[in-house]
Amino acid sequence: MKFPCRLDKFISHLAEIPRTQARASIKRKEVSVNGEVITSHNFQLAQQDEVLHQGTPLVFLGKRYYMLNKPVGYVCANSDELHKTVFDLLDEPNMSDFHVAGRLDIDTTGLVIITNDGDWSHKITSPKSNKFKTYLVETQEPITDEALEQLRTGVMLHNEKDLTRPAIAEKLANYGLRLSISEGKYHQVKRMLYAVDNKVVELHREQIAGITLDENLASGEYRLLTAQEIKL
């Protein structure tokens, strides 16, 4: 939300009601700004103005950034008719303008970032920015040295014209590796393992663009990013 901002838009956004309902409320003299009743829906608000709607303060909280430890069974969408979404896990006000920066599949766990800052999220998720996302991968078959070398060099995915960018691949166990990629192709990690004759059994993201999932967050828990994490 940008300021100055029209009063009806501000109320609609923060009270989460239709614009027409906000205008009607203003007309009924249910809105005050800095202690003065305002009856014009075109009134221009400054960010520091104090707004009361039906006796309830409406406070614009500005840009917010949340880290969530996503569980299995949740989709990274604002709404979904069939499944629970990651937004069902957040108990925060005024989430209508928020989006997921770096989606995960319904069966993938780990770090998800939810924000209302589109420019910031584009910087950390755009392939052009060359930011790495790091995953812990459990595989169906043992991980071979040949497969590691292929992942580090780049593999050809089904229905793609070019090799994937070189990944950082570290073998952790016979059936486990840490994989960092700087692209965001559809189901990329799963398709990369399939390209080296293997299959992903479990997938967990632990890092995006230098921001690491807080080990103190249990599955389904979240917290605000720190100022240092936002700078990353």
Side-chain angles (χ1 to χ4, degrees):
M1 183 177 294
K2 295 182 180 180
F3 290 89
C5 176
R6 274 179 32 163
L7 182 58
D8 60 344
K9 179 181 178 181
F10 182 88
I11 293 172
S12 175
H13 177 72
L14 271 77
E16 298 182 335
I17 59 176
R19 190 79 63 90
T20 53
Q21 189 174 332
R23 290 180 179 178
S25 188
I26 294 168
K27 190 175 181 179
R28 290 194 300 267
K29 300 183 179 181
E30 297 174 346
V31 177
S32 66
V33 178
N34 300 325
E36 179 183 353
V37 174
I38 303 296
T39 57
S40 170
H41 66 266
N42 289 317
F43 183 88
Q44 296 292 307
L45 286 175
Q47 188 165 350
Q48 68 271 19
D49 286 339
E50 296 180 359
V51 180
L52 284 181
H53 173 245
Q54 297 177 342
T56 301
L58 299 181
V59 181
F60 178 64
L61 299 175
K63 302 299 183 185
R64 285 178 281 164
Y65 313 81
Y66 295 100
M67 168 190 296
L68 168 72
N69 187 359
K70 178 191 170 299
V72 168
Y74 287 79
V75 295
C76 290
N78 290 69
S79 62
D80 190 278
E81 295 181 356
L82 299 177
H83 305 286
K84 294 176 288 186
T85 82
V86 291
F87 286 90
D88 293 323
L89 297 168
L90 273 67
D91 183 17
E92 299 293 334
N94 312 125
M95 299 295 292
S96 58
D97 284 350
F98 281 72
H99 62 275
V100 177
R103 296 170 181 265
L104 290 177
D105 297 337
I106 191 170
D107 59 348
T108 302
T109 63
L111 176 60
V112 164
I113 296 175
I114 299 173
T115 182
N116 58 349
D117 188 341
D119 291 338
W120 182 88
S121 64
H122 179 73
K123 289 177 183 177
I124 70 166
T125 58
S126 171
K128 294 181 180 180
S129 57
N130 203 35
K131 302 292 186 182
F132 278 91
K133 297 179 285 290
T134 301
Y135 299 83
L136 298 177
V137 188
E138 182 180 330
T139 60
Q140 186 176 73
E141 304 296 333
I143 299 160
T144 65
D145 291 339
E146 180 183 2
L148 285 175
E149 186 59 31
Q150 286 180 277
L151 294 170
R152 291 165 181 164
T153 303
V155 297
M156 182 63 70
L157 304 181
H158 182 62
N159 287 335
E160 298 285 347
K161 296 180 180 180
D162 301 308
L163 295 176
T164 59
R165 291 179 185 174
I168 301 171
E170 175 191 2
K171 185 174 180 178
L172 302 176
N174 284 338
Y175 296 85
L177 76 153
R178 177 178 283 112
L179 186 68
S180 297
I181 60 174
S182 59
E183 297 169 287
K185 298 180 186 296
Y186 180 70
H187 288 171
Q188 182 166 341
V189 174
K190 295 174 182 177
R191 293 165 69 199
M192 288 177 72
L193 268 295
Y194 184 80
V196 295
D197 299 320
N198 211 323
K199 184 179 180 180
V200 172
V201 175
E202 289 187 12
L203 189 59
H204 177 85
R205 184 162 63 197
E206 62 176 7
Q207 191 176 91
I208 301 175
I211 301 170
T212 302
L213 180 63
D214 191 332
E215 61 182 15
N216 293 317
L217 288 179
S219 179
E221 291 185 341
Y222 68 96
R223 68 162 172 80
L224 285 165
L225 293 188
T226 65
Q228 181 60 34
E229 287 168 337
I230 294 169
K231 289 181 182 178
L232 288 173

